[in-house]
Amino acid sequence: MTTTTPAADRGAFLRNTALYVARIIREALPAAHTMTVNTSDQTLHEVRDQAGNVLWFAPASGAHALDEHLEEIEGLLGRAIPLGGLTAAGWERTPEGTMFRTVQLPPPARHARAYVRHAGLVADVHADLHPAEHASFTLDGPDGPMREARDRVRAAIVNSGYDLPHGALTVACHGTGNPGSSGDLAIAAAILAAAGHINPRALKRTLLISELGLDGQLRDPRVDLRYADICGGYRRLIVAVPAAPADAAYPLIRGGSVHAAIDLRQALDVLAQPLT
């Protein structure tokens, strides 16, 4: 059993907080490069681009997209600063007076999103790969860490001949429930897309529903696929090889196509093909 020290847990919390704050800011301000924080009252003071131009300043700059996220950002800062603050998270810092500190936002993450749909489940898989000195891989679902799925996916990727991406890899499943093993293929595809093995755009309008064996083989997750396209708009479904031909076994995607794959590599080959 792997154990961690309080110092390591604190460092991981601070790094993850830093990455998440940067992601929130960049969603509203894609050109954001630095932020200035008032460390006395633990509030966001200013955001600038790489050239030093002010993109946002406090008090709120009016009807700005970032304003609606201020409460969340400052709540995170309020929890992080007393634990060692921004420098403990590895952020570069330059002093600006006694209270104000300017930190450079971490480099943008590479992001990919995959989709799992079947009876009783609507789930999206988000994979974010951030530059980091040490490799890490966390996988969380609506109910907390998905350790068994993480181990299956990790082994399937490596045994299929791919390298796990170097950096801080965070994968999260959001939706109506925990996808369990039916989300393995979507998780692996999102990771490999974030790592650059396939174009993240290849995952759009595609459903990925399969368990993964440790050897990378696709397995039937034994879920009801009749409602896979319940949300509509999907053009492609990739599943494990069934006993009958794919289209006969799974007549599920109206106006689209169904593909049965043997293993992870074959599934990625299908994803590389343009949608018809």
Side-chain angles (χ1 to χ4, degrees):
M1 179 178 177
T2 301
T3 60
T4 58
T5 65
D9 289 340
R10 183 169 60 250
F13 167 76
L14 291 169
R15 286 190 296 274
N16 289 336
T17 299
L19 292 171
Y20 187 55
V21 168
R23 178 175 173 179
I24 295 173
I25 292 174
R26 284 201 174 100
E27 284 179 354
L29 299 167
H33 183 68
T34 63
M35 74 174 187
T36 301
V37 176
N38 184 330
T39 58
S40 177
D41 59 14
Q42 301 168 357
T43 57
L44 184 63
H45 176 68
E46 189 177 77
V47 179
R48 293 176 179 259
D49 64 14
Q50 192 165 5
N53 300 310
V54 176
L55 302 176
W56 181 94
F57 60 90
S61 306
H64 196 286
L66 185 61
D67 296 347
E68 62 186 81
H69 301 292
L70 272 183
E71 184 176 350
E72 182 179 12
I73 291 171
E74 292 178 350
L76 291 165
L77 292 174
R79 289 193 292 272
I81 287 173
L83 292 176
L86 305 168
T87 52
W91 294 30
E92 297 180 10
R93 183 181 71 176
T94 56
E96 287 192 0
T98 304
M99 295 185 303
F100 295 100
R101 293 293 183 269
T102 297
V103 293
Q104 182 173 314
L105 300 180
R110 291 185 294 190
H111 178 76
R113 180 178 182 178
Y115 307 91
V116 186
R117 305 283 189 271
H118 52 76
L121 180 80
V122 175
D124 292 356
V125 177
H126 295 265
D128 291 289
L129 179 61
H130 299 267
E133 182 178 356
H134 302 290
S136 63
F137 175 18
T138 60
L139 172 58
D140 291 312
D143 304 320
M146 300 171 60
R147 294 184 180 88
E148 291 184 3
R150 181 193 63 188
D151 293 342
R152 282 195 306 271
V153 169
R154 185 203 305 270
I157 288 174
V158 171
N159 291 328
S160 295
Y162 301 103
D163 291 327
L164 277 174
H166 184 81
L169 175 64
T170 58
V171 183
C173 299
H174 301 288
T176 60
N178 192 320
S181 64
S182 71
D184 288 0
L185 178 57
I187 293 167
I191 290 171
L192 292 171
H197 290 283
I198 56 173
N199 191 322
R201 288 194 294 271
L203 301 176
K204 292 183 179 295
R205 304 178 73 185
T206 297
L207 299 175
L208 300 159
I209 306 173
S210 180
E211 181 179 341
L212 284 173
L214 301 182
D215 56 359
Q217 297 286 305
L218 270 59
R219 297 176 176 174
D220 185 352
R222 300 185 183 279
V223 295
D224 187 348
L225 296 174
R226 287 176 296 172
Y227 304 101
D229 198 26
I230 192 169
C231 298
Y234 295 95
R235 297 294 307 279
R236 180 166 57 189
L237 169 66
I238 303 177
V239 294
V241 171
D247 287 323
Y250 304 127
L252 304 167
I253 303 295
R254 295 180 181 179
S257 58
V258 180
H259 302 267
I262 296 173
D263 54 26
L264 179 57
R265 276 197 167 275
Q266 192 173 77
L268 261 63
D269 288 342
V270 174
L271 284 168
Q273 300 170 13
L275 282 171
T276 56

